[in-house]
Amino acid sequence: MNIDQLNEILTEEKISKQACLINPRPLVEGALCLNEQEDGSWLVILNERGNFLIHQSFSLESDACRFVLKHVLSDPTYREDFKQSDLFSWKEKKKNILEKYELE
């Protein structure tokens, strides 16, 4: 998987463009950010209130993209159409979505 494929899936799955960002400059606090580094490696960061909740480095674009995709598809709050009631039925939906993209 590459960045273009990731973007297509994020759009298809209605993932919020404010909650999941690719190559933002500067990094956006509170958003899951995927950044290509100068050395060609990939960094996934989620920073909230000065704390790194996620700080993962990947040597391959495909690994970084799969990590981001699995993370955002596993959490309904990343979706544009998120409703509180989604939390009650999310376990089964999550399983089906992750299987669809072979992430489970």
Side-chain angles (χ1 to χ4, degrees):
M1 176 182 304
N2 62 33
I3 292 293
D4 293 332
Q5 293 165 323
L6 175 62
N7 269 322
E8 287 176 23
I9 295 170
L10 294 176
T11 300
E12 178 183 322
E13 291 295 332
K14 297 184 175 121
I15 301 301
S16 170
K17 295 192 185 328
Q18 289 77 36
C20 181
L21 304 170
I22 298 174
N23 286 319
R25 301 278 193 244
L27 295 175
V28 176
E29 186 168 322
L32 184 67
C33 300
L34 171 61
N35 283 76
E36 184 175 13
Q37 305 299 292
E38 289 181 14
D39 66 359
S41 67
W42 295 84
L43 190 60
V44 180
I45 293 178
L46 176 58
N47 179 11
E48 288 189 7
R49 299 181 183 202
N51 294 315
F52 287 105
L53 303 178
I54 296 175
H55 191 271
Q56 287 279 139
S57 182
F58 298 89
S59 57
L60 300 175
E61 177 182 9
S62 60
D63 291 343
C65 290
R66 289 181 60 77
F67 178 88
V68 167
L69 186 60
K70 184 172 184 177
H71 184 79
V72 298
L73 293 180
S74 295
D75 184 343
T77 62
Y78 282 96
R79 302 179 73 78
E80 291 174 348
D81 58 354
F82 170 71
K83 299 180 297 300
Q84 239 2 71
S85 60
D86 292 340
L87 294 173
F88 301 111
S89 61
W90 189 249
K91 189 174 183 179
E92 188 62 32
K93 287 180 186 177
K94 171 185 157 181
K95 181 180 177 227
N96 293 335
I97 291 170
L98 293 178
E99 284 176 356
K100 176 180 177 180
Y101 296 104
E102 300 176 359
L103 298 168
E104 192 65 18

